[in-house]
Amino acid sequence: MLQIFKRLFSKKSQKSQECESILPRNRFADLDFERVLKSGTCYRVDEEGRCVEDGKITLFDFSVDFAEFELIGAFKIEEEDQFQQLLAHLNSFDNVIQSYLESEMQKPIPQYAKDLGYTQKRWEKTFYFHPWILSCEENPPNLQYLADYVNNGFTVYFAKKHGRWKVYWDEKCQNVIKE
């Protein structure tokens, strides 16, 4: 009898945790990045971004694999391994960023937004971002997010510390995004 109550309670708590998450999670959980890398549209570009056969930078367009948004990846040919490593961790990075945005969303609406006529629902929409460009050609590698409902965006940066990739708010990789 006790086992039945435990199962019922655990199912209820799992559902309540899922309901508590307003922003999407696990957007990259089911992607097979090996297949994506083989099937994505690939371009070779030069330093200025022009398509050339002998370009040193590879651009991948993954729009076919994402129903809700397009993700572009860029890396130097010799840094393909680094690109694949970041792709492998992209789901966990995105979940951490979504969690942070969700915590910011829960704070009271600032006065400037109230003055502009923002309601709670409209304010929440300003926190809907999707990953747009994953760039390993730059130092440090970074991921740009684009807003869905407002003209806004932000960039996060990656660095490998103690053999593990971490995500940061700043280009100098000092302000880590907490997991």
Side-chain angles (χ1 to χ4, degrees):
M1 187 67 150
L2 184 61
Q3 295 298 327
I4 294 171
F5 284 118
K6 284 183 179 179
R7 276 186 274 166
L8 286 173
F9 181 72
S10 72
K11 286 181 184 177
K12 189 175 182 179
S13 88
Q14 286 174 353
K15 286 181 182 177
S16 65
Q17 286 176 350
E18 290 171 8
C19 291
E20 288 175 17
S21 295
I22 298 169
L23 297 178
R25 298 291 199 284
N26 297 318
R27 296 192 274 194
F28 301 98
D30 298 328
L31 284 179
D32 177 0
F33 284 112
E34 289 291 324
R35 185 185 57 75
V36 167
L37 286 172
K38 289 177 185 166
S39 66
T41 305
C42 176
Y43 309 94
R44 292 285 174 97
V45 297
D46 61 12
E47 298 295 326
E48 285 86 41
R50 293 185 300 247
C51 289
V52 292
E53 282 186 35
D54 61 344
K56 303 273 190 248
I57 298 168
T58 303
L59 286 180
F60 273 98
D61 185 344
F62 302 118
S63 59
V64 175
D65 296 281
F66 298 99
E68 59 197 59
F69 55 87
E70 173 183 27
L71 177 69
I72 298 171
F75 62 92
K76 290 183 180 170
I77 295 166
E78 65 272 8
E79 294 175 355
E80 184 173 354
D81 289 342
Q82 177 175 278
F83 183 72
Q84 287 184 348
Q85 288 174 20
L86 287 174
L87 282 179
H89 293 89
L90 196 55
N91 192 60
S92 61
F93 293 145
D94 186 54
N95 284 343
V96 167
I97 292 162
Q98 293 294 83
S99 179
Y100 173 82
L101 291 172
E102 206 165 78
S103 68
E104 290 296 305
M105 179 192 303
Q106 301 303 322
K107 293 180 180 176
I109 301 172
Q111 190 58 47
Y112 77 87
K114 287 180 183 177
D115 295 343
L116 293 171
Y118 277 78
T119 62
Q120 184 62 37
K121 192 156 192 80
R122 187 172 171 207
W123 176 246
E124 287 176 4
K125 281 187 170 188
T126 65
F127 290 91
Y128 283 77
F129 290 85
H130 66 264
W132 182 40
I133 298 176
L134 174 61
S135 177
C136 290
E137 65 181 287
E138 297 175 29
N139 191 14
N142 60 66
L143 176 60
Q144 295 176 24
Y145 275 78
L146 187 64
D148 291 346
Y149 297 100
V150 292
N151 186 17
N152 200 359
F154 63 91
T155 303
V156 295
Y157 301 89
F158 303 103
K160 206 171 196 178
K161 303 240 174 144
H162 308 293
R164 187 169 169 239
W165 285 101
K166 294 195 178 233
V167 61
Y168 298 85
W169 287 119
D170 61 318
E171 195 170 355
K172 294 182 181 181
C173 296
Q174 295 175 344
N175 187 7
V176 69
I177 300 174
K178 304 271 191 257
E179 295 182 29

